[in-house]
Amino acid sequence: MAVLTALTAPPLLAPVGAIIAGLQGLERGDAVSRLPRFGIIQFDRIAGAFDAMAARRRAATRPAR
């Protein structure tokens, strides 16, 4: 069982690293970063929400014309 978990967990959790990196970029002020699409629906929904939030942040901080 432990061997099976060790073999299957890393690919399933790989999106977590990308999500954390995106959040850290946003924290640094990098509002242009977008997260990749993921094959796991829950992670893909998080990525979509992140991208929408980053887009709203870009729009809110864009200089008025």
Side-chain angles (χ1 to χ4, degrees), residues 21-45:
L23 290 169
Q24 289 170 333
L26 197 61
E27 179 183 34
R28 286 189 308 270
D30 179 16
V32 297
S33 64
R34 291 181 54 87
L35 292 180
R37 305 284 35 123
F38 300 111
I40 300 170
I41 188 79
Q42 291 84 355
F43 289 132
D44 196 52
R45 290 180 66 193

Side-chain angles (χ1 to χ4, degrees), residues 40-60:
I40 300 170
I41 188 79
Q42 291 84 355
F43 289 132
D44 196 52
R45 290 180 66 193
I46 291 169
F50 174 89
D51 291 344
M53 176 183 62
R56 285 191 304 274
R57 185 167 187 249
R58 280 192 303 273

Side-chain angles (χ1 to χ4, degrees), residues 13-24:
L13 295 178
V16 173
I19 292 168
I20 290 171
L23 290 169
Q24 289 170 333

